[in-house]
Amino acid sequence: MAIFLPGAAEDQALALDEMTPREIVAELDKYVVGQQAAKRAVAIALRNRMRRQKLSPELADEIMPKNIIMIGPTGVGKTEIARRLAKLTNSPFLKVEASKFTEVGYVGRDVESIVRDLVEIAIDMVREEKMEEVEDKAELAAEDRLIDLLLPPTHTAATAAGAVHEPGSNVIQLPAATPQDDLHSDSSHSNSDDKPGDREQRTREKLRQQFREGKLDERTVELDVRDRNQPSFEVISNQGSEEMDINLKDMLPGLFGQRTKKRKMRVAEAFDYLVQEEENRLIDMDQVTRLAVERVEDSGIVFLDEIDKIAGREGGHGPDVSREGVQRDILPIVEGTTVSTKYGMVSTDHILFIAAGAFHVSKPSDLIPELQGRFPIRVELNSLTVNDFIRILTEPKSSLVKQSTALLETEGLKLEFTKEAIAEMAQFAFRVNETTENIGARRLHTILERVLDEISFQAPDLFKSPRAEITEEGVVGEVHVSAPLTSGPQVPSPPLPVIERQTATGTEKVIVVDPEYVRQQVASIVKDQDLSRYIL
């Protein structure tokens, strides 16, 4: 049973092993509009992965993941579905373009680097989780080390640090007094019968209290920091850099990580540095590596984008001669093999591969038959409609309209879009996608930025400008066009009013974007097809 903290239920993730495919689709709906077939496919694949983990080891090893290939134009949500799925499952996730790899023997990256990169991502994930676990211990240890640096030396330590003992005399000459000596003097006057250990403990607690209150942040301390200027080597080899698994730190321990140097820094900076040092000391990197490799093998997700770019059978020559070779290199990784990494051998048997491509020129059947057979689930994503664009602008948790509104609120301006204005922007995006290249939802970014061009440019001036006399309509300012948007003739248009509105917390300046303003900013550019090909 999932337990949520009061008031934070929305931010808490459901227990993954309790999430049904329907609940997984509902989570994806918060970020991706439409494409129900693709969401169902990844939800079923994820649920099957959870089911496999509950089986006996003998049977679980025999069950292979059902890899998915997504077919659809750019900008319809293929990558976003895979990325959100990985975040939902807290799985190591890697997005790569299939077109960046080359056949073995050609200059370029080989496909086994996919697994090596995935392992590095998993190690970073596990290390971050372990750091959160030891964060409190590390902060306490760093605080103690910092107090040791700030604490004035005792009489015994002072002798070792430079106190002079004259022969034949019982007098010890101490070094010059430090700024912290007032702490000792205060504590010594309080009770002359105290033992030295008690006085030192009280002094430490006073320093600790002052540090926690931030009174010592500007004081300077001197730390021994590791010298990061490592010697560099250039290795020329016909193998990729991933194959050079020579651990120079083990071969030449005297050159790496042993040298330190003195560095002065503020107490606040020194505390952050010491916390990092203590976290690294408390974390068992062998355990981190082992857990990361297990996580990659059991729950890794690889998103192979642009797989259509390597589809096709070559019968000749030219720059695409290695296309089919790349497919043959990818094949063993997808069907299951063991890859050598610097962290050990990693099996790819149960890594989930999600491939995607527009397939405008080629078809999935142009892939080699062996590779087609390793992607048994094929999902076709639909092109976006006007209604989809309207939903993308408003429905997701971090929709484009919410992002723009939040950015301008930092300037003291509140931005509001009417329903008609949002519908107008969706219509423009759909129209431009039809008449030029169809880039899906990415077109909305350009349309919205064009609409907000003047508002974003003038927002700081509108906030800083002296308060004007309020008209009957409540207008306190206007957004005028400051520069022509195109080189053609400009039709004068009315400025956008800035309205002052009373709220429970005071007054706020509001800009209401209406459909007329959207047309004013975008229509003239959309009409010029040649120009829109380059600008939009």
Side-chain angles (χ1 to χ4, degrees), residues 417 421-433 443-454 481 484-486 490 493 513-529 531-532 535-536:
F417 291 86
I422 291 175
E424 195 72 20
M425 287 189 290
Q427 287 281 0
F428 275 122
F430 182 77
R431 196 182 314 163
V432 176
N433 273 349
R443 185 74 66 186
L444 289 172
H445 288 271
T446 314
I447 294 289
L448 186 61
E449 285 303 312
R450 179 59 66 186
V451 169
L452 298 179
D453 180 78
E454 283 296 335
V481 177
L485 296 176
T486 63
Q490 295 292 308
S493 54
V513 178
D514 55 17
E516 182 60 33
Y517 185 75
V518 173
R519 287 190 289 271
Q520 166 192 334
Q521 295 294 99
V522 181
S524 60
I525 301 176
V526 174
K527 288 178 184 176
D528 191 342
Q529 295 296 329
L531 187 61
S532 65
I535 296 181
L536 295 180

Side-chain angles (χ1 to χ4, degrees), residues 34 103 117 367:
E103 185 180 357
D117 292 343
L367 296 168

